[in-house]
Amino acid sequence: MKTTYFAIGALVLVFFFGNILSAASDSLVTAVYAKVANNYKREKLPDGSFKPEYYAISNGGFSPGIGRDASIDKVPFATIAGVVEQYLGKQEYHMANDAKSAQLLLVIQWGETVPFNDGTYRNRVDQLTSAMNNVQMTKVSGPVQRTADGIQSPQNAVAQSAQGELESELLMINMANSARDRANEHNAMVLGYMDEINSSNNMSRFAGGGDHYNDLISDIENSRYFVIISAYDFKAVVQNKGTKLLWSTRVSVQAQGNRFDDQLVTMIANASRQFGRDSGRLIRQYQRTPSVNLGELKFLGVVPDSAPKETRPEKAN
């Protein structure tokens, strides 16, 4: 199979040889979230199939996460675009031959999230626990005891020092909690978890329904590989009328125990069912892992584009 890419913003010429193979026996948890603008609706042909839509494609940027990860660092944009192109075709989205026929501008972003530093947080909790224990151990009952010259007793001085340490640690843990919340909020937005977390953060957490909420928080507090495909109105972009987001699909898997290059096809395959559709909620489940033979991949070059690099979602109108 031979595919030539036409792209706006970044000129990408790719010769891609490969075919999607049958599903493998292993499985993993993928999380998919898709959103569609109110004014975007796909037309259907008389036979019930979707009317084909045509797109240009652009490199939206790579987020490297923490440290080096060869499994994602070595995967070029052209490879990701090639896999996405195959699955877009199954949903009747096809590469445009030129700018005149392009209806959509697809921006692909990928990378690895940066989780909150759990080690630092646990250290703060340990220090707070130690400070609380010191207060209990040095607690002096009754009024403050003072010497004849008005100086408080050594016991009271130690107790007061322990109380001051506890107040300091409470301040530090509050700051750590704020940093944790900010990191979690950012990752939840990038991965498409925000709505699901908010809907699960209710009284059901304390009535036997807390496992789902805790699983969601665990996901965003661990490093995850992600791919985001965002579809913009092509003509609005090229005519400098702003970026009009029509639909977006987000997919992610846990980075620990996985490799981005191994799971890329699985991620896109699972996400492809939601291309141009509204998932309604986060779809998080075990799914089978297809394999792919990328064969020989050659590309002539990529000229960096000016597409938005931000991985935070835009609100679909």
Side-chain angles (χ1 to χ4, degrees), residues 45 52-53 60 64 67 74 76 112 117 151 159 209 280 282 298 304 312 315:
L45 299 174
E53 295 185 28
K74 72 178 184 180
E112 185 176 350
N117 189 331
I151 301 175
L282 183 75
K298 298 178 180 179
R312 293 177 67 88
K315 185 178 180 182

Side-chain angles (χ1 to χ4, degrees), residues 7-71:
I8 181 70
L11 179 61
V12 182
L13 297 177
V14 180
F15 297 96
F16 179 78
F17 300 85
N19 293 286
I20 301 301
L21 305 180
S22 59
S25 59
D26 55 337
S27 61
L28 78 164
V29 176
T30 58
V32 179
Y33 180 76
K35 195 73 175 176
V36 176
N38 294 332
N39 59 351
Y40 178 78
K41 185 176 181 180
R42 297 202 66 180
E43 295 183 42
K44 289 189 175 182
L45 299 174
D47 63 0
S49 62
F50 286 120
K51 181 179 179 181
E53 295 185 28
Y54 298 91
Y55 62 87
I57 197 166
S58 182
N59 183 343
F62 165 60
S63 299
I66 298 176
R68 299 297 302 272
D69 184 338
S71 77

Side-chain angles (χ1 to χ4, degrees), residues 223-271:
S223 181
R224 294 182 71 80
Y225 297 128
F226 67 87
V227 178
I228 304 172
I229 301 99
S230 302
Y232 296 87
D233 185 305
F234 181 86
K235 290 181 173 58
V237 173
V238 297
Q239 294 173 5
N240 294 321
K241 294 182 178 180
T243 54
K244 183 179 180 182
L245 182 63
L246 300 178
W247 58 262
S248 65
T249 302
R250 300 163 184 273
V251 59
S252 65
V253 296
Q254 179 176 294
Q256 184 177 4
N258 289 307
R259 291 178 56 87
F260 182 82
D261 50 359
D262 288 342
Q263 304 302 343
L264 173 61
V265 174
T266 298
M267 295 168 66
I268 302 305
N270 293 337

Side-chain angles (χ1 to χ4, degrees), residues 55 118-119 206:
Y55 62 87
D118 185 65
F206 309 101

Side-chain angles (χ1 to χ4, degrees), residues 194-225:
M194 185 62 75
D195 289 347
E196 191 74 11
I197 289 176
N198 287 339
S199 65
S200 302
N201 189 16
N202 51 45
M203 291 303 297
S204 67
R205 287 178 53 195
F206 309 101
D211 287 347
H212 181 57
Y213 176 84
N214 294 333
D215 287 344
L216 296 173
I217 297 300
S218 177
D219 277 0
I220 64 174
E221 289 191 343
N222 285 279
S223 181
R224 294 182 71 80
Y225 297 128

